[in-house]
Amino acid sequence: SQQGEEDPQALSIQEGENATMNCSYKTSINNLQWYRQNSGRGLVHLILIRSNEREKHSGRLRVTLDTSKKSSSLLITASRAADTASYFCATDYSGYSTLTFGKGTMLLVSP
Amino acid sequence: ETGVTQTPRHLVMGMTNKKSLKCEQHLGHNAMYWYKQSAKKPLELMFVYNFKEQTENNSVPSRFSPECPNSSHLFLHLHTLQPEDSALYLCASSQVLSAGEFSYNEQFFGPGTRLTVL
């Protein structure tokens, strides 16, 4: 399976703390994307990082990509209760015709 | 609002029923997708339509039948489903860069249809 793996599966933090989620993947990629899903809803695209990029920022989100280790991390700074959701990485593998989603990290931010 | 709508939002059906799920995208994209999301399982890609042609069918049982009449609309026709088909069905769309070699940019998801098969 080419499926990416998020780590940890679940993360519980207090408001104001930072949350870090990791994603590992198998083979070379065109890009890697992070999505967020609130309970029972559709996924929302957060950020895309291309294979030739190492770091990208969007508001309180910071994504890094290490192609030598085939891994990516998503950092949410100064978390809020509204950040409570599941976070998925999705890989656009070279030579594949679709995105491959991981199992997700469930983040709980307590007030 | 992501620009992708799905109807109905909730559906309960018996195993002998026939129903259809509808997806519409208002983003001018040229690719549309059906995904299945079951509890504690990763998102499963079911069907992909690029430029209105089906390019992926990930071993989906024939009781699921997709239809893409144009680049803005996607249907999933359901018949004689099983209880294990109960799940959240998500539609998504994206802009594919070319017909020959695909590079996948962000996908925009609808809110999903929560399907329960009795």
Side-chain angles (χ1 to χ4, degrees):
Chain A
S1 167
Q2 297 294 341
Q3 189 176 67
E5 291 283 336
E6 288 96 338
D7 169 59
Q9 290 187 355
L11 180 60
S12 184
I13 59 174
Q14 299 288 122
E15 264 192 329
E17 294 180 339
N18 294 341
T20 299
M21 288 158 267
N22 303 296
C23 172
S24 59
Y25 57 92
K26 300 278 172 50
T27 60
S28 62
I29 59 172
N30 295 319
N31 65 65
L32 185 143
Q33 304 174 33
W34 285 92
Y35 289 79
R36 164 196 166 126
Q37 183 181 33
N38 287 74
S39 180
R41 307 281 297 184
L43 280 71
V44 175
H45 181 265
L46 295 177
I47 198 164
L48 180 154
I49 187 164
R50 301 199 185 279
S51 58
N52 59 354
E53 297 175 314
R54 292 296 166 260
E55 188 170 311
K56 213 162 179 182
H57 296 256
S58 176
R60 292 185 296 112
L61 305 180
R62 173 179 168 248
V63 169
T64 61
L65 180 65
D66 186 335
T67 52
S68 66
K69 294 182 180 176
K70 293 186 172 58
S71 68
S72 172
S73 67
L74 171 66
L75 168 68
I76 304 174
T77 59
S79 62
R80 306 165 182 167
D83 294 328
T84 294
S86 292
Y87 292 82
F88 296 86
C89 71
T91 41
D92 175 10
Y93 284 109
S94 305
Y96 279 68
S97 58
T98 59
L99 287 182
T100 304
F101 285 83
K103 294 181 182 179
T105 293
M106 192 176 299
L107 173 66
L108 174 63
V109 183
S110 301
Chain B
E1 274 296 327
T2 61
V4 181
T5 58
Q6 288 187 245
T7 54
R9 294 293 310 279
H10 300 271
L11 179 62
V12 179
M13 59 187 289
M15 289 192 283
T16 58
N17 291 159
K18 285 186 180 181
K19 296 286 183 184
S20 295
L21 309 184
K22 179 183 176 183
C23 176
E24 184 174 359
Q25 58 100 357
H26 310 273
L27 301 167
H29 289 163
N30 56 15
M32 296 187 76
Y33 315 81
W34 279 117
Y35 289 90
K36 175 184 178 182
Q37 188 176 37
S38 306
K40 298 182 181 179
K41 282 188 174 182
L43 207 58
E44 299 174 55
L45 178 66
M46 300 176 72
F47 300 104
V48 180
Y49 278 82
N50 284 310
F51 302 94
K52 295 188 294 177
E53 293 192 4
Q54 186 177 317
T55 57
E56 292 284 335
N57 175 344
N58 283 354
S59 303
V60 179
S62 59
R63 56 186 184 269
F64 295 92
S65 173
E67 179 190 359
C68 187
N70 55 60
S71 57
S72 300
H73 293 86
L74 185 65
F75 295 89
L76 187 63
H77 303 300
L78 317 171
H79 64 98
T80 59
L81 294 192
Q82 305 297 312
E84 61 264 28
D85 297 323
S86 298
L88 182 68
Y89 287 84
L90 294 164
C91 173
S93 72
S94 71
Q95 186 64 21
V96 173
L97 295 183
S98 69
E101 185 171 335
F102 301 113
S103 178
Y104 282 76
N105 289 311
E106 57 264 41
Q107 295 186 6
F108 293 77
F109 285 79
T113 295
R114 174 67 62 186
L115 174 67
T116 303
V117 181
L118 301 176

